[in-house]
Amino acid sequence: MCKSEKYILDSSFDPDKFLADITAAKAAVGEATEEDATHMQRIVFISQVLLYGGHALLLVSAAMSWGALTVATCFVGACMISFARCMKWAIIGHHVCHGGFDKLQKSHPNVLPSHYKRGVFAIGARRFFDWLDWMLPQAWDVEHNKAHHYYLSEEKDPDLVESNFESVRVAALPKALKYMNMIVWLFIWKLAYYSPNTFKELVLSKKEGWMARNWPKGCKPTDPVIVLHALRMPVEALLTGRVQDSIFWLVFFAQWFGVILPMMASVALPAAWPLVLAYVGHWPGATSPREAAVRLLAASVVADMLSNAHSFIIITCNHSGGDLYRYSTSCKAFSAEFFLRCAYSSANFECGNDLVDITYGWLNYQVEHHMYPDLTPLQYRKLQPLVKSICEKHGVLYVQQNALIRTWRMFEVAVGDASMKRCTALVPPQAYNKKEE
């Protein structure tokens, strides 16, 4: 990545003092308490009300005669489902699957349901009850909790926007067309990119598995896998005489189809309600059951697209922009360099109360979350002002902007109008050698 060594901080920077201050801030926040559990239960309750209330509104709108009120009722219902789906991933699944409540489960075993811990939540059959989305939770755990968090903005980071959109960046296309392409991604990104790419990370993590051992030699493991590859990869391999690679991709995408099938059924399920009610003779609607089913299917698809857009805006821009950094070297977890990279390669949004934090899916604390991935939502709220003041004290970059501004800055990188800043590392070797001298 870097043609020559380049460091951002000068030799006068004291990494040990910065590390000590960040460690002290974490200690000052303290351990999770029953308040954290009560708060999470409240968030779960809100998500359930939104989810089931949204579906109820969709059903009511499908039974109504067509008109402005019908459209408004349907749209509100779709928005409620969208918001609930985003909450289940970004707030509930995200923090639980990072182990944010694991210590609390041990110290206060009865304050939360026992499945609210990493390795249990949304695993197996629990996926249908805890967090059903386009991604397989185990695949997301490998891609996000491990690869992304501990290789942040390095070449091995599977979420490095600048690398993932390299083909768009260098394409000889009008800029307007590139930006239109980004708008399309905004509404379909979980199915089209994130789901197959997290599944790729899962199969590659199983070193002894058939797919990891037979990964096609012409495909870099760090290259993203998207839904369009389901057709392109096997056909391209077959046409070039690589029969084994063609079989590989057919097997890969067949298994991935099994991952997304439950979510496809979930999106389609609302359309069955009027048909079932009509079958048993209890459809109360002013519309025909078939028309109502079409409406419900369309509304459910819209709800999923809105959830894609919501999550895209609060997630994909967290570590991308012309003002953030990427690195040519790795670093030790929880070292001064590690904590510094969390600040120099992350962007926070506005934060501080439940209305703002829930709207942002609690992803407005990215700097703090990358420093300590296994905290509860309330612990991040307490840690954020401490970390921000420490960064100001040490002259360390701390980016905090509105999510729409950050999304635009991410768009600029994705289409090639901006590039991330590149360096070897943040702290120069001389800063570590000061004490020895």
Side-chain angles (χ1 to χ4, degrees), residues 114-154:
S114 59
H115 65 276
Y116 274 67
K117 56 186 173 185
R118 184 173 182 173
V120 179
F121 187 86
I123 301 300
R126 290 227 59 91
R127 181 188 179 197
F128 298 94
F129 304 100
D130 299 336
W131 167 34
L132 179 60
D133 213 319
W134 294 105
M135 303 78 64
L136 186 68
Q138 299 96 306
W140 176 83
D141 177 67
V142 172
E143 191 271 355
H144 176 83
N145 293 1
K146 297 172 184 175
H148 169 60
H149 266 268
Y150 295 99
Y151 296 107
L152 178 64
S153 292
E154 300 173 22

Side-chain angles (χ1 to χ4, degrees), residues 133-248:
D133 213 319
W134 294 105
M135 303 78 64
L136 186 68
Q138 299 96 306
W140 176 83
D141 177 67
V142 172
E143 191 271 355
H144 176 83
N145 293 1
K146 297 172 184 175
H148 169 60
H149 266 268
Y150 295 99
Y151 296 107
L152 178 64
S153 292
E154 300 173 22
E155 188 177 356
K156 291 181 181 179
D157 182 357
D159 293 339
L160 190 57
V161 169
E162 193 171 47
S163 292
N164 290 341
F165 281 91
E166 183 63 23
S167 60
V168 178
R169 287 170 58 83
V170 302
L173 295 171
K175 283 294 169 64
L177 195 58
K178 291 186 178 185
Y179 279 104
M180 287 175 61
N181 172 65
M182 296 307 300
I183 297 298
V184 172
W185 277 105
L186 184 132
F187 290 103
I188 64 170
W189 77 287
K190 284 194 287 184
L191 171 63
Y193 157 71
Y194 206 46
S195 180
N197 207 54
T198 53
F199 184 68
K200 176 206 75 174
E201 295 293 332
L202 176 65
V203 300
L204 286 174
S205 71
K206 299 177 179 180
K207 304 296 184 184
E208 301 303 317
W210 180 83
M211 282 197 279
R213 288 186 289 105
N214 290 278
W215 191 261
K217 290 182 172 59
C219 299
K220 287 175 61 178
T222 53
D223 285 345
V225 173
I226 62 176
V227 69
L228 293 177
H229 292 166
L231 178 63
R232 174 192 155 191
M233 293 299 203
V235 171
E236 190 178 85
L238 192 62
L239 292 177
T240 54
R242 295 177 288 119
V243 177
Q244 184 174 335
D245 288 354
S246 181
I247 294 172
F248 172 90

Side-chain angles (χ1 to χ4, degrees), residues 53-71:
H55 277 97
L57 283 181
L58 288 194
L59 186 57
V60 168
S61 69
M64 297 166 63
S65 298
W66 190 254
L69 181 60
T70 303
V71 174

Side-chain angles (χ1 to χ4, degrees), residues 93-114:
H94 189 196
H95 291 89
V96 173
C97 292
H98 263 298
F101 293 90
D102 285 11
K103 290 182 181 178
L104 188 61
Q105 289 279 16
K106 293 179 180 178
S107 60
H108 299 78
N110 298 316
V111 295
L112 277 175
S114 59

